[in-house]
Amino acid sequence: MRHGGPRVVAGLPVAVTALLLICAPPAHTDSREDDVHTVHCLADDRHAEVVTAAVLLGTATAVRGEPGQLRAGPGHGRELTVGQWAERHRPDFRRVCRAVMTASGDAPDKGGGGESPGALTNGLLLAGVAAAFTVLGSGVERGSAQRRQRADTLSAATHAYSYAAALYLADWETGAAAPYDELGRARAELATALRGIRDGGSRRRRAVALAESLPLPDELPTRVRAGAGGFVRRTARDMGEEAVRRRRALADAVARVEQLHASFLGWQARRAGRAATRAWSRVGVSRSRRGNLTGEEDGR
């Protein structure tokens, strides 16, 4: 049976991406502020100040001997005036101009003390991310609960099988009545738990192989064929040696099951961690794309 938890985690980044794109503000929502930036920072007496700020913020490189000119980016481009730079690299210009105005105490008033569209968008974005991670947490928790349940089932079945096999071999070795029913049920339950491991590729194949090769698949005989004389009872020495061999095989099988159990838990934990990391990474990519889209619109 497939559970819904992994599908919730897998589909979460898509929902988050859609949410972030919906929340992306249009470029024209704050045109008044953009106009203020243009008038303030393109004034002739502020060109040198804008160039200095652009260099400090790493968005441009100064031109030696020309305080009012710069080169965009790392300095490999053409020499530009502040006006040309503002026209061709609008997002960088807005960022630098905002910093210049804030530093000089001339940042534009949003008006009326009301909340700006940018602040509203940020609030919606944070609310969306919080909701997304609430869903992610629920999905991870459901997945963890299912893994714990499968692990607990496998562990309990292993102990029950080991205990039932030990009792059966002890009775059989002494020649006492040794009913196989309880051991048969315990072995079947452990085999079912092993086949329930459907994750990890090679781990799944190992589990199936173990399920099919568990010791004591059938009741042990107390008599052996003795040629034409029919069946005779095994000697105490023969039964003791056989019991030792069976116990060794049992111990080896239980050890391999426990090793698989530990490997299964570790793999599931790493898988959950990778799912959470991918979800967070895609949220970050979505935010980056939102910024790029806004920047491109601003530059038009």
Side-chain angles (χ1 to χ4, degrees), residues 99-173:
V100 169
M101 296 180 68
T102 301
S104 62
D106 295 329
D109 184 11
K110 299 293 183 181
E115 188 175 26
S116 69
L120 177 60
T121 298
N122 288 337
L124 291 174
L125 177 62
L126 291 176
V129 171
F133 274 91
T134 298
V135 176
L136 173 63
S138 299
V140 170
E141 178 58 30
R142 282 194 296 271
S144 298
Q146 292 165 3
R147 289 191 297 274
R148 285 194 299 268
Q149 182 178 5
R150 288 197 295 268
D152 290 345
T153 299
L154 180 59
S155 179
T158 302
H159 289 303
Y161 166 71
S162 177
Y163 181 72
L167 290 181
Y168 177 81
L169 286 174
D171 289 341
W172 179 84
E173 180 182 8

Side-chain angles (χ1 to χ4, degrees), residues 36 119 166 170 173 195 233 276 284:
V36 173
E173 180 182 8
R195 293 189 180 98
R233 186 172 183 82

Side-chain angles (χ1 to χ4, degrees), residues 129-287:
V129 171
F133 274 91
T134 298
V135 176
L136 173 63
S138 299
V140 170
E141 178 58 30
R142 282 194 296 271
S144 298
Q146 292 165 3
R147 289 191 297 274
R148 285 194 299 268
Q149 182 178 5
R150 288 197 295 268
D152 290 345
T153 299
L154 180 59
S155 179
T158 302
H159 289 303
Y161 166 71
S162 177
Y163 181 72
L167 290 181
Y168 177 81
L169 286 174
D171 289 341
W172 179 84
E173 180 182 8
T174 61
Y180 180 79
D181 294 349
E182 184 175 351
L183 172 57
R185 284 192 298 270
R187 185 182 183 280
E189 289 175 0
L190 177 55
T192 300
L194 285 168
R195 293 189 180 98
I197 296 178
R198 302 184 179 276
D199 307 298
S202 62
R203 191 172 293 99
R204 160 68 173 162
R205 291 191 293 272
R206 286 167 53 197
V208 172
L210 267 173
E212 295 174 352
S213 64
L214 288 174
L216 300 171
D218 300 299
E219 185 175 359
L220 295 177
T222 56
R223 294 176 177 272
V224 295
R225 184 180 295 276
F231 290 88
V232 298
R233 186 172 183 82
R234 286 180 166 180
T235 65
R237 179 178 178 179
D238 288 342
M239 295 182 72
E241 291 175 351
E242 179 68 16
V244 169
R245 287 193 294 269
R246 299 286 182 169
R247 289 191 182 98
R248 287 174 181 169
L250 175 65
D252 177 68
V254 169
R256 285 187 292 151
V257 172
E258 290 177 345
Q259 182 182 22
L260 180 68
H261 175 257
S263 174
F264 171 67
L265 285 180
W267 178 83
Q268 289 283 15
R270 290 191 297 272
R271 182 186 183 191
R274 287 194 298 268
T277 300
R278 285 195 300 270
W280 172 248
S281 175
R282 293 190 183 187
V283 169
V285 169
S286 299
R287 295 182 67 178

